[in-house]
Amino acid sequence: MTVRDILGEAHLQRPTVSFELFPPRTPEAEASLWPAVEQLATASPDFVSVTYGASGSTRTASRAVVRRLITGTKLVPVAHLTCVEASRAEVTDVIDEFLDEGVRDFLALRGDPPSGVTDWQPQPDGIRYASQLVSHILDVAAGRGIPADQVSVGVAAFPAAHATPDGRQQALDVLAAKQEAGAAFALTQVFFDPEQYLALVDDARDAGITIPIVPGVIPLTTPRRAYRLAELTGVALPPGLVSRLEGADDGTAQYRAGVAAARDLAQEILEGGAPGLHVYTFNKHAAALDLLASLGLHGES
Ligand code: FAD
């Protein structure tokens, strides 16, 4: 079953649950990742996505995590794939490698250009946009004789950018192009205002975009993590959350405030019809599982 099938069926019965992991960059991080994955698996996630090339991670490291998820667990991995800083042949090699491993679910992204580059251009034969990467993944799979219904490619969507007057139409056009290219679902960047997600979905439906749009949520349990996330994504932190985290007496109180804020957001978007929750875990299990428990989506609250 691909993620397209899972989202097609599961959200009619219950919200899907999924997690994002990133490849560990140190032996210590590697050692703590797998116990965390074991814990996350207790929530029976519908799929687990693994980032690629983000914040300096490498293709080899991403592949290693995806391979171990396939061979050592029952989890369904979604391999992120980017096209910045790679020739078409290099991207094709990576797709082939993932297909060889048995990966059938991808998240097609452009990736972030190197910092400081304002006028990024792809390599002469490179891939410029995520929508083109969607087509390319599907073409490579088809070229290997893999039936179209056995591969599913997701894409990114951006509720906060959609909420800006200048960004709205562009965000819709880009998402429509991704669907047109064959994308089967979208996962969103983090956001903190439920209305941003709900407006994106409403506008997308009005524009004929029918793919499931799964919201990305993140329990921010320390001010440091919150500031880092804002820096990485460019999504502004809500002042209320910052003051709750800053004003908490100790680490435990910060943790509770962060999980509660994520729960409030998640509750509102689930009530608004979100098909599931994609939880950004930072490779840690506790806050993600406590968030799900507080929503009745895993174990006891
Ligand atoms: P695109 O859709 O290609 O958009 C890039 C830019 O081009 C946008 O400004 C868009 O408006 C514009 N554009 C797109 N199509 C057209 C067109 N036809 N004509 C004109 N302009 C166009 N980054 C990583 O490096 N690794 C990861 O693993 C990773 N995972 C992510 C997961 C999620 C859920 C999200 C939301 C983001 C992730 N990112 C990751 C970050 C992502 O790569 C960046 O946000 C990137 O800047 C945009 O990616 P995109 O796939 O939306 O690109």
Side-chain angles (χ1 to χ4, degrees):
M1 243 200 181
T2 64
V3 171
R4 179 190 38 238
D5 303 326
I6 292 167
L7 283 165
E9 291 190 1
H11 80 270
L12 299 174
Q13 323 297 328
R14 63 167 180 85
T16 56
V17 166
S18 53
F19 298 119
E20 181 186 282
L21 303 173
F22 63 84
R25 286 185 284 279
T26 63
E28 297 73 34
E30 165 87 28
S32 65
L33 171 64
W34 294 103
V37 169
E38 222 169 277
Q39 290 296 318
L40 289 168
T42 62
S44 305
D46 293 280
F47 59 93
V48 175
S49 81
V50 181
T51 66
Y52 179 92
S55 311
S57 68
T58 66
R59 151 182 167 181
T60 314
S62 290
R63 269 190 67 204
V65 174
V66 171
R67 186 186 311 120
R68 184 153 166 191
L69 286 171
I70 286 191
T71 56
T73 75
K74 294 197 166 83
L75 301 171
V76 174
V78 173
H80 294 207
L81 195 59
T82 65
C83 48
V84 282
E85 304 304 85
S87 67
R88 185 171 290 264
E90 284 165 341
V91 174
T92 306
D93 282 350
V94 181
I95 299 167
D96 275 327
E97 287 167 359
F98 277 129
L99 290 171
D100 285 344
E101 304 283 3
V103 175
R104 293 296 180 265
D105 292 288
F106 295 88
L107 194 71
L109 304 141
R110 184 193 65 180
D112 288 318
S115 63
V117 175
T118 51
D119 180 26
W120 175 78
Q121 297 293 327
Q123 296 189 10
D125 70 337
I127 296 171
R128 180 181 285 272
Y129 296 126
S131 53
Q132 297 166 336
L133 181 58
V134 173
S135 312
H136 191 58
I137 294 169
L138 294 171
D139 286 349
V140 172
R144 294 169 54 122
I146 300 172
D149 64 357
Q150 287 179 23
V151 181
S152 120
V153 184
V155 290
F158 299 86
H162 179 80
T164 63
D166 293 345
R168 186 178 163 280
Q169 193 55 47
Q170 170 85 344
L172 283 176
D173 291 346
V174 170
L175 194 53
K178 290 172 174 175
Q179 174 177 277
E180 179 74 13
F185 65 97
L187 304 179
T188 79
Q189 192 181 45
V190 290
F191 56 94
F192 300 102
D193 177 353
E195 287 308 320
Q196 292 180 345
Y197 169 78
L198 298 172
L200 166 66
V201 175
D202 269 359
D203 291 347
R205 299 303 177 237
D206 288 347
I209 299 165
T210 56
I211 55 174
I213 301 174
V214 182
V217 292
I218 188 163
L220 287 171
T221 51
T222 65
R224 192 166 144 260
R225 181 163 287 176
Y227 293 131
R228 178 79 182 127
L229 180 84
E231 191 186 312
L232 283 173
T233 61
V235 177
L237 296 168
L241 174 63
V242 173
S243 54
R244 275 162 87 181
L245 288 174
E246 294 278 14
D249 288 339
D250 55 21
T252 307
Q254 284 179 343
Y255 179 93
R256 288 200 182 122
V259 172
R263 180 206 55 216
D264 293 347
L265 176 71
Q267 210 151 26
E268 218 164 312
I269 52 183
L270 287 171
E271 282 167 14
L277 294 178
H278 189 59
V279 186
Y280 292 95
T281 66
F282 286 109
N283 290 1
K284 307 263 187 249
H285 65 275
L289 294 183
D290 282 342
L291 167 64
L292 294 176
S294 73
L295 292 161
L297 293 174
H298 172 52
E300 293 297 313
S301 174

